[in-house]
Amino acid sequence: MDKEKEEYSIIIQDVYKTFNVYLDKANTIKEKLLFLFSRNKKQKREVLKGINANIKKGEVVALIGVNGSGKSTLLKLLTKIIYPNKGKIETKGKLTSLLELGAGFHPDFSGRENIYFNASIFGLTKKEIDARLDDIIEFSELKDFIDNPVRTYSSGMYMRLAFSVAINVDADILLIDEILSVGDEHFQNKCFDKMLELKKQGKTMVFVTHSMGAVKKLCDRTIWLCDGKIKMDGKTEKIVDEYIKQTA
């Protein structure tokens, strides 16, 4: 069993995640009276309901499903931004994520300062960042703006900087959530080509997107989440075709 585990970068065992959803505050007198006698001020929402999946080293996996199916929640659990109520997640190797645009950036720092700040969070030393700095700036295409505060950046510029840092920290596992939906077509294509290159290098990737074309081009395997459960898990072509058929 230990030898089997060694071939996996990500092991997800019987994972459940529940959030408390608080009811809206009462505004009118009638609502206040109703709320006064209501015992339930909050409701529990079960977002993930017993997820089991093992992802091999070097595997590129898409998470697909309609909004609210649990895709982004699962990615956040993998990054340990949040933790499961029940179950276990193991990741092996250095992990980098692109989940929320500009997360980890300080708005008053320049782009250059944020490169150092962000890359250090991923575990790089100053010397290692120095060696990668020119490559990060060149890939981002932000040379003319790199010493401006990032609060002056557009959402597309944020994405360029975040992606450029994330692909230059020598991570073993990359988690990407809809990041390619931001920015111009030229840079989206550039990012996609880079992800194909990382795939060839044997990086493990988990990719959340609504672009079925991107899924078919990039991912060998697709996991379809529906109402917090895995509906289908298998070869991308088959899963995507069935997903399109059922959600069209």
Side-chain angles (χ1 to χ4, degrees), residues 161-175:
L161 194 61
F163 190 89
S164 301
V165 174
I167 60 169
N168 277 285
V169 296
D170 291 338
D172 304 299
I173 304 169
L174 286 89
L175 307 176

Side-chain angles (χ1 to χ4, degrees), residues 44-200:
K44 284 191 175 181
R45 182 171 172 240
E46 201 169 38
V47 180
L48 296 175
K49 307 166 185 176
I51 301 295
N52 287 284
N54 294 333
I55 297 172
K56 290 181 178 179
K57 289 178 182 176
E59 203 169 17
V60 180
V61 179
L63 294 180
I64 64 171
V66 298
N67 289 336
S69 58
K71 307 182 301 295
S72 294
T73 298
L74 184 54
L75 274 198
K76 286 177 181 175
L77 288 167
L78 291 174
T79 24
K80 296 182 170 58
I81 293 172
I82 55 176
Y83 292 88
N85 297 90
K86 182 184 170 186
K88 186 179 178 183
I89 292 176
E90 289 180 54
T91 57
K92 297 177 183 178
K94 185 190 282 187
L95 184 148
T96 183
S97 62
L98 283 155
L99 304 191
E100 293 176 10
L101 202 56
F105 286 172
H106 192 294
D108 294 323
F109 289 175
S110 69
R112 188 186 304 273
E113 289 167 329
N114 271 292
I115 289 171
Y116 280 91
F117 181 62
N118 213 237
S120 66
I121 292 171
F122 290 129
L124 266 62
T125 64
K126 184 180 181 300
K127 188 176 179 181
E128 288 172 326
I129 302 167
D130 287 341
R132 291 167 171 78
L133 185 64
D134 289 343
D135 289 339
I136 292 170
I137 295 171
E138 184 182 350
F139 191 92
S140 73
E141 301 177 1
L142 292 171
K143 187 177 180 181
D144 294 339
F145 308 95
I146 204 65
D147 292 308
N148 295 351
V150 297
R151 60 180 156 74
T152 65
Y153 286 12
S154 66
S155 59
M157 292 164 76
Y158 257 87
M159 187 273 278
R160 288 174 183 231
L161 194 61
F163 190 89
S164 301
V165 174
I167 60 169
N168 277 285
V169 296
D170 291 338
D172 304 299
I173 304 169
L174 286 89
L175 307 176
I176 302 164
D177 188 0
E178 282 293 2
I179 197 78
L180 301 183
S181 63
V182 183
D184 58 73
E185 188 178 352
H186 155 72
F187 198 75
Q188 285 180 23
N189 292 335
K190 186 176 175 179
C191 291
F192 192 81
D193 289 343
K194 186 64 181 181
M195 288 166 70
L196 286 172
E197 185 185 316
L198 293 169
K199 178 181 179 178
K200 286 177 185 174

